[in-house]
Amino acid sequence: MKPSMTKKLATLSERMDELNRLLSSEDATSDMDNYRKISREHAEITPIVEQFRAYQQCETDIAEAQGMLSDPEMKSFAEEEITGAKSRMEAIEAELQKLLLPKDPNDERNIFLEIRAGTGGDESALFAGDLFRMYSRYAERQRWKVEVVSANESELGGYKEIIAKIEGQGAYSKLKFESGGHRVQRVPDTETQGRIHTSACTVAVLPEADEVSDVVINPAEIRIDTYRASGAGGQHINKTDSAVRITHLPTGIVVECQDDRSQHRNKAQAMSVLAARIKDVQVREQQSKIASDRKLMIGSGDRSERIRTYNYPQGRITDHRINLTLYKIDAIMQGDMDELVNALASEHQAELLASLGEDN
């Protein structure tokens, strides 16, 4: 193990001992905000420190076994102990490298999922609806909450655009690689000749911004318009200006929300989406600077990039970033996305490890 890594792990081990003392003190819960902060840090470093201590135990086992090598009766046993401990140390070191990878500060955040129909007209809108159902069913499997913020439905079904908020532990960490262009190849219901059509949608996954610390929105730089919501909803919708449109003048970002009957709630939801989009713009500017030195392909989230193809006639889904093809399109479209999500996360992790190796 590299000395720099050992030093970092030793520091974390000392910090965990300190956190244990703080958490067990009599006045630990007198400041609940601080208590939660300490508890969160303790939970984050515990698996790392446990692995490090297991590594140290292997070192102790090897030292003890080496002391038995001079005893003819114990030599064979000692050699087995040394071989086994060294093997365990290799596995632990590999796991520690993963655990020490820089964490994305947004991983545990809720997200805004935005799906927009692209080329392909009505078929593209239908595909947008299929994608929204796929993500919604995946969210159900994760026990996450899905709330539609705004939806612009097409005449034949599906959506020209739909924005939803997904709340749940690790929502961003699991879905952050979904941003980009999604292409579908299939025979539309309206196609009489049986020809395969190709259409596309764009997906954006934005971490929910912390209104206090992440994004400062100057009230003088936004314009708020209210209007009557369109679409189904009964008499109420036609009588009150409950829908809200917010325009952020410096960036030109426009957010609309009309899903709730309350104008106040629609405004709050629209401000939340606006904050997430402004933060997304800021993050992308930072990433573009980083990308000039090194581009992590999986995490680039370039919306213009075609990341995945859904081929219905062949029953396959292909993710072009990692050259992964799965012949289980029906299951995936029903929300069984684990294999896809895990493969993308593993590849990104491998890229990070490789980039760390270049830096060292």
Side-chain angles (χ1 to χ4, degrees), residues 19-35:
L19 291 173
N20 283 332
R21 285 194 296 273
L22 290 170
L23 289 169
S24 60
S25 65
E26 290 182 8
D27 60 345
T29 56
S30 59
D31 181 346
M32 285 307 295
D33 285 340
N34 189 52
Y35 179 76

Side-chain angles (χ1 to χ4, degrees), residues 216-223 246-253 274:
V216 177
I217 300 175
N218 185 345
E221 294 180 340
I222 60 174
R223 186 178 71 242
I246 300 178
T247 305
H248 186 243
L249 302 175
T251 59
I253 295 171
L274 178 63

Side-chain angles (χ1 to χ4, degrees), residues 30-207:
S30 59
D31 181 346
M32 285 307 295
D33 285 340
N34 189 52
Y35 179 76
R36 280 190 286 269
K37 183 180 176 183
I38 293 172
S39 297
R40 189 161 54 245
E41 184 184 354
H42 186 274
E44 286 173 0
I45 70 172
T46 293
I48 301 172
V49 174
E50 285 178 348
Q51 289 286 350
F52 178 51
R53 288 176 179 173
Y55 185 91
Q56 289 178 311
Q57 183 59 51
C58 287
E59 289 181 321
T60 301
D61 292 344
I62 288 173
E64 290 176 355
Q66 284 175 334
M68 294 187 282
L69 287 173
S70 57
D71 185 339
E73 292 183 5
M74 299 297 292
K75 185 178 180 182
S76 177
F77 170 76
E79 287 174 344
E80 285 182 19
E81 281 290 297
I82 292 169
T83 301
K86 285 183 176 179
S87 177
R88 289 195 300 277
M89 285 173 75
E90 286 180 16
I92 292 169
E93 185 172 355
E95 182 62 25
L96 280 168
Q97 283 185 325
K98 292 178 185 177
L99 289 169
L100 287 173
L101 286 175
K103 298 280 192 301
D104 188 328
N106 294 317
D107 272 352
E108 293 306 313
R109 294 195 180 219
N110 301 327
I111 64 169
F112 287 105
L113 171 70
E114 303 184 352
I115 304 173
R116 293 180 179 82
T119 54
D122 289 326
E123 173 62 12
S124 178
L126 289 169
F127 180 48
D130 292 337
L131 287 176
F132 179 64
R133 276 187 294 278
M134 175 183 78
Y135 292 124
S136 297
R137 285 167 181 166
Y138 178 69
E140 286 173 15
R141 290 167 181 250
Q142 304 297 317
R143 293 186 172 84
W144 296 338
K145 178 185 173 186
V146 180
E147 179 184 3
V148 174
V149 174
S150 68
N152 182 0
E153 298 179 14
S154 72
E155 293 176 5
L156 295 181
Y159 302 99
K160 293 177 183 175
E161 176 187 273
I162 182 165
I163 302 172
K165 183 177 181 180
I166 299 180
E167 298 179 14
Q169 187 175 5
Y172 185 72
S173 69
K174 289 184 179 295
L175 292 179
K176 63 184 174 183
F177 303 123
E178 293 302 303
S179 291
H182 295 242
R183 183 178 67 170
V184 64
Q185 295 171 326
R186 63 184 175 190
V187 179
D189 293 337
T190 53
E191 171 59 60
T192 56
Q193 304 297 318
R195 290 173 297 194
I196 296 173
H197 287 225
T198 298
S199 54
C201 291
T202 57
V203 171
V205 175
L206 314 178

